[in-house]
């Protein structure tokens, strides 16, 4: 027979992990298809944020875990962009985008024109600067 104490000992951490992963997965809705993302951006009258990463990239993982969990960044990305994540190991990436030196960050118009591009695993404050630079480039 299981005691309530032993049940709480393993159930609570499991529930917390499931809740945290569900929360993270619902925070950003990533597309993995370039053409679909452009069509969605056109429909929603937004630009596209293209994040190119790799499956076994410690800098990509760190960027996802630290920067892409910041509430302000989540709000801004969801408000202003259709989100497109392409792994150089899994997805078809149009040849005009660089795939070496990930993570790579591209900001695109709904027609696919590059507004701004940069690379690196940016920390939270650094990524706010990247978002600001992308906004400034839209005005040019």
């Amino acid at each position: 027979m299981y005691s309530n104490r032993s049940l709480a000992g393993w159930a609570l951490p499991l529930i917390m992990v499931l809740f945290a992963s569900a929360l993270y997965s619902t925070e950003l809705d990533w597309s993995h298809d370039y053409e679909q993302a452009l069509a969605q951006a056109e429909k929603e009258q937004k630009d596209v944020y293209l994040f190119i990463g790799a499956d076994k990239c410690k800098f990509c993982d760190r960027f996802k875990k630290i920067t892409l969990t910041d509430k302000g960044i989540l709000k801004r990305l969801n408000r202003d962009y259709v989100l497109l994540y392409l792994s150089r190991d899994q997805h078809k990436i149009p040849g005009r985008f660089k795939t070496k030196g990930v993570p790579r960050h591209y900001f695109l118009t709904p027609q696919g024109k590059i507004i701004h591009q940069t690379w690196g695993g940016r920390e939270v404050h650094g990524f706010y600067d990247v978002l600001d630079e992308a906004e400034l480039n839209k005005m040019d």
Side-chain angles (χ1 to χ4, degrees):
M1 208 80 210
Y2 296 105
S3 71
N4 286 341
R5 173 169 262 177
S6 66
L7 179 64
W10 66 267
L12 186 57
L14 178 62
I15 291 168
M16 289 174 59
V17 166
L18 292 173
F19 177 74
S21 64
L23 180 65
Y24 176 72
S25 66
T26 58
E27 292 289 344
L28 295 173
D29 186 20
W30 295 99
S31 175
H32 303 288
D33 182 283
Y34 178 74
E35 294 299 330
Q36 283 181 343
L38 292 181
Q40 182 181 350
E42 184 76 42
K43 180 179 176 184
E44 295 179 17
Q45 297 182 340
K46 292 182 175 182
D47 291 316
V48 175
Y49 166 55
L50 167 57
F51 169 25
I52 298 176
D55 293 350
K56 294 185 186 212
C57 167
K58 66 182 178 182
F59 302 109
C60 300
D61 290 342
R62 181 174 170 81
F63 176 72
K64 290 175 195 174
K65 288 177 185 169
I66 295 174
T67 305
L68 292 182
T69 58
D70 178 79
K71 295 294 183 195
I73 287 176
L74 294 173
K75 181 179 177 183
R76 197 158 163 191
L77 286 173
N78 281 321
R79 181 190 67 211
D80 297 337
Y81 297 97
V82 169
L83 306 173
L84 175 61
Y85 174 75
L86 298 176
S87 166
R88 68 180 182 195
D89 303 316
Q90 294 183 43
H91 303 108
K92 181 180 178 186
I93 300 174
R96 66 193 192 100
F97 298 110
K98 295 178 183 176
T99 59
K100 295 199 189 293
V102 291
R104 293 241 170 223
H105 312 276
Y106 289 91
F107 296 84
L108 313 169
T109 66
Q111 296 75 34
K113 178 184 173 200
I114 297 172
I115 299 167
H116 183 67
Q117 63 180 313
T118 188
W119 67 279
R122 305 299 175 108
E123 299 292 325
V124 172
H125 293 293
F127 197 67
Y128 277 112
D129 292 340
V130 169
L131 292 171
D132 290 342
E133 289 172 23
E135 285 298 313
L136 288 172
N137 286 350
K138 284 175 32 175
M139 296 177 195
D140 290 344

